[in-house]
Amino acid sequence: MTELTKELKQSRSSRFSDMWTSIYSNKAALTGLVIIALLVVCAITVAICDALGIQILPYDPNLADMDNAFVAPCAEHWFGTDQLGRDIFSRVIDGTKISLSVGVAAVSFSLILGTILGALGGFYGGKLDNIIMRFMDVILSVPSILLAIAFMAALGRGLDKAVLAIGIVSIPEYARIARSCVMAVKANDYIQAAIVSGDSNLRIIFRHILPNITSPIVVRATLGISIAVLDTAALGFLGLGVQPPYAEWGDMLARSRGFIFSAPYTLLFPGLAITITVLAFNLFGDGLRDALDPRSRRR
């Protein structure tokens, strides 16, 4: 038993080493990973400092100073100031924690619920599968952003409502992936052996099937965070997401769109923050997909 455990540990270590080697050799994926790491460190640092009452940013991101409105980018204000005199650099950095937290929370919610529903439908089949997948088809028949707006209109404005709305519209994607993977895996011999040995269906699903279908789901979740960040910005742009005075990239774009010609920098930097974040997750997600798929690994 000890030798088998050692072999399993060595196998997992080898797979992780191969995955990291693949990502490291993929410069685009490595670049995306570095950017994501910087964003995460930034978001966590700002959140901790806010909780402790420590001012780490150059300026208070929510403090208006009308005497310094529309200051162009300079040594004192790297990204300039907005129409209320707030430092744009501080607001962009502060907005990182909101965009990432909403993206991660929404994807976590949709991943867990979607995977469970898809796994149950794929394993049991029949009427349960039809009911679950037809409901997923109904959700997919409506554009995700429109459905998220409808949920926000029903639930009300706010950060928690945005997480719930974005999470709900993303459930079908994970349900369909989990269902197809479960249907492929449940025909394997070790699943049949577990059934013969008397394991319960739920034990088979959560112990034997789900651990073997994590790769495509993790890859989709990585790419899903970029979509969630975009949806968060879209809801903020429409005034349905995070409410003022808190900094959020989509809301910053919405409140600066009237100054696109007189003060274009007020839109440029929040827009770049969204673009770079989405691009980083897409690059890393593509590299992770290649790393977890043995057929596409670079040699």
Side-chain angles (χ1 to χ4, degrees), residues 44-96:
I44 293 176
T45 302
V46 171
I48 292 175
C49 290
D50 286 348
L52 297 177
I54 301 173
Q55 180 63 39
I56 191 175
L57 298 173
Y59 298 90
D60 186 337
N62 302 320
L63 181 63
D65 182 9
M66 296 302 297
D67 293 335
N68 287 314
F70 293 122
V71 174
C74 59
E76 187 176 5
H77 299 281
W78 294 352
F79 291 177
T81 62
D82 62 10
Q83 66 274 23
L84 297 179
R86 296 172 297 190
D87 184 67
I88 296 176
F89 175 78
S90 298
R91 288 180 63 77
V92 168
I93 298 300
D94 190 60
T96 304

Side-chain angles (χ1 to χ4, degrees), residues 2-296:
T2 304
E3 293 181 358
L4 180 59
T5 304
K6 289 182 179 179
E7 290 179 0
L8 289 173
K9 289 182 179 180
Q10 290 175 355
S11 177
R12 291 171 183 171
S13 176
S14 176
R15 287 198 298 268
F16 179 80
S17 177
D18 291 343
M19 182 186 72
W20 172 247
T21 301
S22 177
I23 292 176
Y24 185 77
S25 63
N26 187 335
K27 300 306 179 186
L30 187 60
T31 301
L33 179 60
V34 170
I35 295 174
I36 292 171
L38 291 175
L39 291 171
V40 170
V41 170
C42 232
I44 293 176
T45 302
V46 171
I48 292 175
C49 290
D50 286 348
L52 297 177
I54 301 173
Q55 180 63 39
I56 191 175
L57 298 173
Y59 298 90
D60 186 337
N62 302 320
L63 181 63
D65 182 9
M66 296 302 297
D67 293 335
N68 287 314
F70 293 122
V71 174
C74 59
E76 187 176 5
H77 299 281
W78 294 352
F79 291 177
T81 62
D82 62 10
Q83 66 274 23
L84 297 179
R86 296 172 297 190
D87 184 67
I88 296 176
F89 175 78
S90 298
R91 288 180 63 77
V92 168
I93 298 300
D94 190 60
T96 304
K97 72 176 187 295
I98 293 178
S99 295
L100 289 187
S101 62
V102 172
V104 172
V107 168
S108 299
F109 172 77
S110 57
L111 183 151
I112 293 171
L113 194 54
T115 300
I116 291 175
L117 290 174
L120 292 175
F123 185 82
Y124 287 103
K127 291 183 178 180
L128 179 62
D129 183 39
N130 284 330
I131 292 173
I132 292 175
M133 297 317 297
R134 296 300 75 76
F135 183 66
M136 297 298 112
D137 290 340
V138 169
I139 297 178
L140 285 173
S141 66
V142 183
S144 60
I145 188 62
L146 292 181
L147 192 58
I149 292 172
F151 279 119
M152 290 296 293
L155 298 172
R157 302 176 181 181
L159 187 62
D160 54 341
K161 310 297 192 308
V163 171
L164 189 59
I166 296 172
I168 290 174
V169 301
S170 303
I171 288 175
E173 300 174 11
Y174 300 98
R176 292 169 73 91
I177 293 173
R179 175 180 179 270
S180 61
C181 291
V182 168
M183 293 179 68
V185 169
K186 73 176 184 179
N188 290 336
D189 292 339
Y190 64 89
I191 301 298
Q192 301 303 317
I195 295 174
V196 172
S197 64
D199 286 352
S200 65
N201 290 336
L202 291 179
R203 179 181 174 83
I204 293 173
I205 291 173
F206 288 98
R207 183 177 178 83
H208 300 292
I209 293 181
L210 289 183
N212 289 289
I213 64 171
T214 55
S215 295
I217 295 175
V218 168
V219 171
R220 185 64 190 85
T222 304
L223 297 172
I225 293 177
S226 66
I227 298 174
V229 170
L230 278 178
D231 288 345
T232 303
L235 293 175
F237 187 85
L238 296 172
L240 298 173
V242 178
Q243 298 303 298
Y246 299 107
E248 192 276 320
W249 296 335
D251 180 72
M252 293 173 65
L253 288 176
R255 298 183 183 280
S256 301
R257 66 182 184 274
F259 314 109
I260 186 171
F261 296 110
S262 59
Y265 54 85
T266 58
L267 290 91
L268 174 63
F269 295 109
L272 282 176
I274 296 172
T275 302
I276 291 172
T277 302
V278 171
L279 180 61
F281 277 103
N282 284 337
L283 291 176
F284 177 64
D286 288 340
L288 186 62
R289 178 190 58 202
D290 295 340
L292 293 175
D293 185 359
R295 293 170 297 182
S296 61

